[in-house]
Amino acid sequence: MNTTAESIYENICRARNELEVLPPEYSLPKEDNAGENKVRFADGAMDGIALYHMGVPNQDTALLEQALNVAATDLEQAHELVRQWVKDGHMVSARDKILSYLLDHQKQLPPSEIYRLAAECALKGTHREEVKFGLVLLMLFDLSRNEPLKNAMRILALSDEFTLYVLHAATGWDKPNQEIFRIAKNVRGWGRIHAVRILEPETPEIGDWLFAEGWNNSVLPDYSAWECCQKSGLQKRLEDGMGEKDFSHACRLLSALLAEGPMPGISQAEDCPGLLNAFVDCAAGKAVSPHRQDTLKQIAEYAASHELPEVVQRVRFLL
């Protein structure tokens, strides 16, 4: 293992700002094997696109399996095998195979050495896929009494590149939903999208955050709009009435739902007319604003194309 180069974990620690989150302009260091003509994705984007749009192909994990097998007798050789694999490998499509291999061979693989390999890859790794490999291995260990390691993983989760993998591990921690909520608030890109997808609105605070912030990511609100609409109870909030600030949030959330962009939006609603009418009722008592008018125009266009003449008529009255 390269112990002289700065690890990704150290880089993230150093980059945190006074709020202990990563600044918006932060991105992971360019890797040695990233050629000048190689497409550079935003942190987390390659995995996000694969999961949401392309599916994850079957990937050869033979080198990683060899690394697990030699870890007990030669940890440095295990690291070398991992370094060879990460040159072209992607954990997003190897995760399930590696977890299955570990479970199938758990009697032959000494837990202490696998744990050491996992922790070293996660915290000392200089390649993002190496760090992900370590995080995947750590999913299988009980970390309830290892708060320092969990804190280190929370720091890694600040990067959208690793949020998904820490979320998988955090589901096995104490109070997992609170952990997921904490992680979701600290990221703004693909990491937030992944977190919102599994976050449950078990408290009013979480429900309010999903309504006001959960969809507000730096990728595209459409990815989380439907999750936030459902989990925050958007229609009931509109029916119950809300102030101008919350109405502004409702406008932006409904606008993302109506976009029907890369992810299905309002078309998934069981009572689409009910949701649209609830918004129109609420909008009738609100001041004219760009958010209000733009959302009403979107509703009119959507309703016209989906044969909802009553909704169209009501919206036109307000425009």
Side-chain angles (χ1 to χ4, degrees):
M1 164 165 279
N2 186 349
T3 58
T4 58
E6 181 182 55
S7 72
I8 287 177
Y9 170 69
E10 290 168 334
N11 184 272
I12 293 173
C13 285
R14 185 167 53 80
R16 287 181 299 168
N17 59 25
E18 65 278 4
L19 300 176
E20 296 193 350
V21 297
L22 292 173
E25 67 274 13
Y26 174 84
S27 62
L28 291 170
K30 185 177 179 180
E31 293 172 338
D32 293 338
N33 64 334
E36 291 298 325
N37 297 323
K38 190 173 182 179
V39 176
R40 181 169 170 81
F41 288 86
D43 293 348
M46 182 180 287
D47 287 354
I49 292 169
L51 288 170
Y52 277 83
H53 300 296
M54 300 172 61
V56 289
N58 186 33
Q59 184 150 19
D60 182 15
T61 56
L63 286 173
L64 295 180
E65 292 167 11
Q66 290 177 43
L68 294 173
N69 285 308
V70 304
T73 56
D74 192 339
L75 195 59
E76 180 51 41
Q77 176 61 18
H79 282 299
E80 178 57 33
L81 288 164
V82 174
R83 284 194 294 269
Q84 290 180 33
W85 184 85
V86 301
K87 291 177 181 178
D88 299 301
H90 298 288
M91 280 308 301
V92 69
S93 54
R95 170 184 170 271
D96 290 345
K97 287 183 71 174
I98 286 301
L99 289 174
S100 295
Y101 184 85
L102 278 164
L103 292 172
D104 291 342
H105 298 81
Q106 55 186 312
K107 292 182 179 180
Q108 301 100 293
L109 300 174
S112 60
E113 298 307 320
I114 299 301
Y115 175 82
R116 184 179 174 189
L117 176 65
E120 289 191 359
C121 285
L123 303 185
K124 298 181 181 180
T126 57
H127 190 292
R128 59 192 69 189
E129 299 302 324
E130 179 184 5
V131 174
K132 293 174 190 176
F133 177 60
L135 292 172
V136 167
L137 298 185
L138 288 172
M139 287 179 56
L140 297 179
F141 291 91
D142 179 6
L143 303 180
S144 58
R145 297 184 181 181
N146 195 336
E147 200 61 25
L149 181 54
K150 288 198 292 183
N151 278 331
M153 293 171 70
R154 292 178 184 119
I155 291 172
L156 284 170
L158 296 176
S159 167
D160 291 293
E161 187 74 21
F162 307 115
T163 313
L164 174 66
Y165 301 88
V166 179
L167 286 168
H168 287 155
T171 57
W173 298 356
D174 295 334
K175 299 180 180 179
N177 202 57
Q178 286 298 321
E179 289 284 356
I180 294 166
F181 185 37
R182 175 178 178 173
I183 291 170
K185 292 187 292 183
N186 287 335
V187 285
R188 293 299 299 271
W190 281 101
R192 177 171 288 192
I193 293 169
H194 297 315
V196 165
R197 188 174 187 178
I198 60 175
L199 180 63
E200 293 298 332
E202 64 181 15
T203 66
E205 179 189 11
I206 296 176
D208 291 344
W209 182 83
L210 286 165
F211 166 68
E213 291 287 335
W215 46 269
N216 188 11
N217 62 70
S218 60
V219 181
L220 198 64
D222 308 26
Y223 281 101
S224 297
W226 178 244
E227 294 281 352
C228 290
C229 172
Q230 281 189 303
K231 293 176 179 179
S232 71
L234 174 60
Q235 183 168 337
K236 187 174 188 309
R237 288 173 184 268
L238 290 166
E239 291 169 349
D240 290 346
M242 57 181 63
E244 291 289 348
K245 183 177 180 180
D246 281 347
F247 181 68
S248 177
H249 296 320
C251 287
R252 296 175 68 186
L253 175 52
L254 189 62
S255 180
L257 282 171
L258 288 163
E260 294 280 9
M263 299 295 292
I266 199 167
S267 59
Q268 297 185 89
E270 292 184 6
D271 182 15
C272 179
L275 175 56
L276 296 178
N277 279 314
F279 180 88
V280 174
D281 289 339
C282 192
K286 295 293 180 287
V288 174
S289 68
H291 283 319
R292 175 187 184 270
Q293 298 305 97
D294 288 346
T295 308
L296 286 172
K297 289 174 184 177
Q298 275 187 280
I299 291 174
E301 182 178 342
Y302 181 88
S305 63
H306 289 77
E307 299 182 357
L308 299 172
E310 293 182 4
V311 175
V312 174
Q313 184 177 359
R314 296 190 66 209
V315 171
R316 287 177 177 168
F317 180 79
L318 295 179
L319 289 172

